[in-house]
Amino acid sequence: MMGGAGLFLLYFGTVWLSQAVWWNLPERKFFIFGATFWPQDFILLSGILIVSAFGLFFITVYAGRIWCGYTCPQSVWTWIFMWCEKVTEGDPNQRIKLDKAPMSANKFLRKLSKHTMWLLIGFVTGMTFVGYFSPIRELTIDFFTGEADGWSYFWVGFFTLATYGNAGWLREQVCIYMCPYARFQSVMQRQGSPAGGLRLQPVSR
Ligand code: SF4
């Protein structure tokens, strides 16, 4: 859980606190924690990615699905969405009861609060992701004053809905049907490797 929280803070802090990472695509310059990279440096980036991939394989073989269980964004965001669900609708038994109950002001307000929280988290996530490609302070001001370009609105909207859909509705379905890592991780695990990843959870709509 601490690993997930650390990565969550890194994801937001990198952009909102210091713009430590900026993929400046129009000028083909990439700023990563004070260093500037050019397209010809991509071989270096490829090397880092390959080492990271082998590191992940190594960890999976010897420690099981640690990545899935503690640090995968799909897991971390799902935990946050589940927390929203708990705060607004209660524990799993209370949620099942609420889902079966006829619509009332209480049910409507609880559902509305949950989906509003989900969408707000999705929006901040999407805005932050676009902030990796466009300075976040200018982007935020332009976005809310209607001055941002159409692609910024499109991508923020896209990632807002993708976060809302993945962490709110799909959850472990992403692991079962969509994730490439899930396809081959079983062959990397030894007998007795610890399990991880998302557990099946009752999702109320
Ligand atoms: S199976 Fe894939 S999506 Fe699911 S937790 Fe693991 S890495 Fe993440």
Side-chain angles (χ1 to χ4, degrees):
M1 194 65 188
M2 288 302 290
L7 283 182
F8 190 75
L9 290 177
L10 185 69
Y11 173 73
F12 288 104
T14 297
V15 170
W16 288 98
L17 297 181
S18 59
Q19 194 74 53
V21 174
W22 176 20
W23 299 85
N24 186 346
L25 294 178
E27 294 184 18
R28 292 177 172 71
K29 278 195 281 189
F30 310 104
F31 303 98
I32 303 177
F33 295 104
T36 305
F37 294 88
W38 301 86
Q40 56 269 31
D41 298 323
F42 262 64
I43 188 80
L44 187 66
L45 193 62
S46 309
I48 293 171
L49 288 176
I50 290 168
V51 170
S52 305
F54 276 103
L56 181 60
F57 298 159
F58 182 81
I59 288 170
T60 306
V61 169
Y62 286 97
R65 296 172 61 192
I66 282 194
W67 168 260
C68 292
Y70 298 100
T71 49
C72 172
Q74 178 66 19
S75 297
V76 176
W77 262 256
T78 297
W79 292 330
I80 293 161
F81 274 49
M82 283 165 59
W83 177 80
C84 296
E85 208 162 54
K86 194 170 173 197
V87 166
T88 52
E89 296 182 355
D91 61 32
N93 286 337
Q94 290 172 312
R95 293 206 295 273
I96 291 168
K97 237 168 109 180
L98 186 73
D99 282 344
K100 286 184 179 159
M103 184 53 76
S104 62
N106 174 50
K107 179 172 177 174
F108 178 76
L109 281 176
R110 286 180 183 278
K111 294 277 173 197
L112 182 68
S113 312
K114 180 181 79 173
H115 289 285
T116 305
M117 285 172 87
W118 283 4
L119 280 168
L120 276 175
I121 294 169
F123 174 73
V124 177
T125 303
M127 195 80 170
T128 304
F129 190 82
V130 175
Y132 277 87
F133 299 88
S134 180
I136 193 73
R137 287 173 214 284
E138 290 85 339
L139 173 70
T140 308
I141 293 167
D142 290 349
F143 192 91
F144 287 109
T145 53
E147 299 289 319
D149 63 87
W151 283 113
S152 298
Y153 289 106
F154 172 80
W155 285 116
V156 171
F158 177 84
F159 286 111
T160 300
L161 292 179
T163 308
Y164 173 79
N166 283 343
W169 294 80
L170 295 176
R171 297 190 178 171
E172 69 278 351
Q173 306 302 321
V174 174
C175 307
I176 295 169
Y177 298 110
M178 295 158 72
C179 175
Y181 177 57
R183 300 272 78 79
F184 56 79
Q185 63 186 336
S186 58
V187 297
M188 294 188 293
Q189 284 181 270
R190 295 174 304 144
Q191 203 170 15
S193 292
L198 295 171
R199 305 281 192 276
L200 292 172
Q201 298 282 342
V203 181
S204 61
R205 309 303 185 199

